[in-house]
Amino acid sequence: MNKLMAANWKMYKIYEEAKDTAEALVKLLDGKLPDGREVLVFPPFTALRGVSKKFKDEKGFWTGGQDFWPEKEGAFTGEISPGMLRDAGAAFALTGHSERRHVIGESDELVGRKTAFALASGLSVVLCVGEKIEERRSGALEAVLERQLRAGLADVPREIDPARLAVAYEPVWAIGTGEVAGPKEILGAHACVRRILLDIFENIGNDIKILYGGSVKPDNCAEIIALDNVDGVLVGGASLAAESFARIVLAGA
Ligand code: PGA
């Protein structure tokens, strides 16, 4: 299975900055992207088309939308549709990110609607799940993953092409904190996600990528990416500089 090395730029970078970073990334990885590695960047909306253009002729480079509203079109002031993301060059969409769940207040049910709608609209999806620190401490990790995955994937066709769906395990306590989860914690959570995916999708669940996210850096990525059931990473802070993200993309390859 290819490893998917994904960057989430969140609400950083105006248009020119995003284009410059994308161009620098392409240059740094020129001729160096190993077989079996793919690069995916989630820029802010305003930079999506610019970054997509920089990646257009690059094999194994993709862009995605960080958010969208699950309707084709209509009176939804301020919102963006999956079709608009595709029009701007996106191949992917992100759903269920912890900042949207816990800062913006998206419910499990809305995350499920968005995931199914994006897939039906022709986008591939990275669905994020992960527990808060108090949930981990109270022993609720598996229950949280079970709830978020069952709701998030409720309306996804059981015969889905597994190349179009990835799950990102991102413990909330490790996002943007510098506190990366240890190998044991990652192995345990990813094995749990895999079990649930197999239960939902049967054999297809073996081929759905599981990414790890939460304080991934150039110097810890090689160890993380080598773990069982880790099929890629989703990187926030350390993906903002092209040099740093390029080192992550190549780590352990
Ligand atoms: P971080 O963010 O790498 O800055 O911890 C990860 C994410 O939010 O996807």
Side-chain angles (χ1 to χ4, degrees):
M1 193 158 20
N2 280 359
K3 303 262 192 209
L4 186 59
M5 315 304 278
N8 173 12
W9 287 352
K10 309 192 181 187
M11 201 172 73
Y12 292 99
K13 297 187 187 293
I14 59 172
Y15 181 68
E16 290 298 333
E17 291 167 340
K19 274 199 320 182
D20 289 351
T21 309
E23 191 172 313
L25 189 64
V26 167
K27 276 208 185 106
L28 286 163
L29 294 172
D30 186 31
K32 296 201 191 86
L33 190 64
D35 278 349
R37 292 246 165 150
E38 293 181 69
V39 175
L40 166 61
V41 174
F42 293 97
F45 288 134
T46 49
L48 186 51
R49 189 182 300 277
V51 174
S52 300
K53 275 192 184 154
K54 295 284 177 198
F55 288 178
K56 196 167 63 70
D57 300 323
E58 305 300 322
K59 194 170 161 281
F61 283 66
W62 310 99
T63 60
Q66 294 176 20
D67 189 38
F68 59 89
W69 187 246
E71 293 284 349
K72 188 165 172 280
E73 60 187 5
F76 302 102
T77 300
E79 294 295 341
I80 303 238
S81 71
M84 291 168 182
L85 293 180
R86 292 187 64 186
D87 179 55
F92 282 78
L94 199 59
T95 60
H97 191 277
S98 78
E99 285 143 24
R100 297 214 61 87
R101 292 179 189 271
H102 304 304
V103 182
I104 316 284
E106 289 192 8
S107 65
D108 291 332
E109 183 271 329
L110 179 57
V111 173
R113 256 175 72 201
K114 286 180 152 189
T115 302
F117 195 86
L119 287 167
S121 307
L123 289 163
S124 299
V125 170
V126 178
L127 164 67
C128 305
V129 297
E131 82 290 4
K132 297 188 197 169
I133 191 64
E134 56 275 20
E135 292 169 328
R136 173 169 280 271
R137 287 198 182 122
S138 68
L141 169 66
E142 301 209 353
V144 171
L145 295 180
E146 185 93 39
R147 193 193 74 231
Q148 291 180 341
L149 284 168
R150 298 230 178 246
L153 299 168
D155 295 321
V156 173
R158 292 324 186 225
E159 65 288 356
I160 181 82
D161 171 1
R164 297 189 52 219
L165 180 63
V167 170
Y169 168 65
E170 299 204 303
V172 179
W173 47 272
I175 296 179
T177 58
E179 195 184 334
V180 66
K184 258 205 193 138
E185 290 157 325
I186 298 175
L187 282 169
H190 281 230
C192 174
V193 171
R194 182 70 71 202
R195 257 197 323 275
I196 298 166
L197 290 176
L198 285 167
D199 193 52
I200 297 176
F201 295 103
E202 302 188 347
N203 279 346
I204 289 175
N206 272 321
D207 298 322
I208 296 173
K209 290 186 179 64
I210 307 176
L211 318 184
Y212 169 78
S215 296
V216 174
K217 303 274 184 289
D219 58 3
N220 63 21
C221 187
E223 185 187 10
I224 292 170
I225 200 81
L227 295 171
D228 248 16
N229 282 318
V230 176
D231 309 308
V233 288
L234 179 56
V235 189
S239 74
L240 291 171
E243 296 72 21
S244 158
F245 187 54
R247 282 176 60 204
I248 288 174
V249 169
L250 298 175

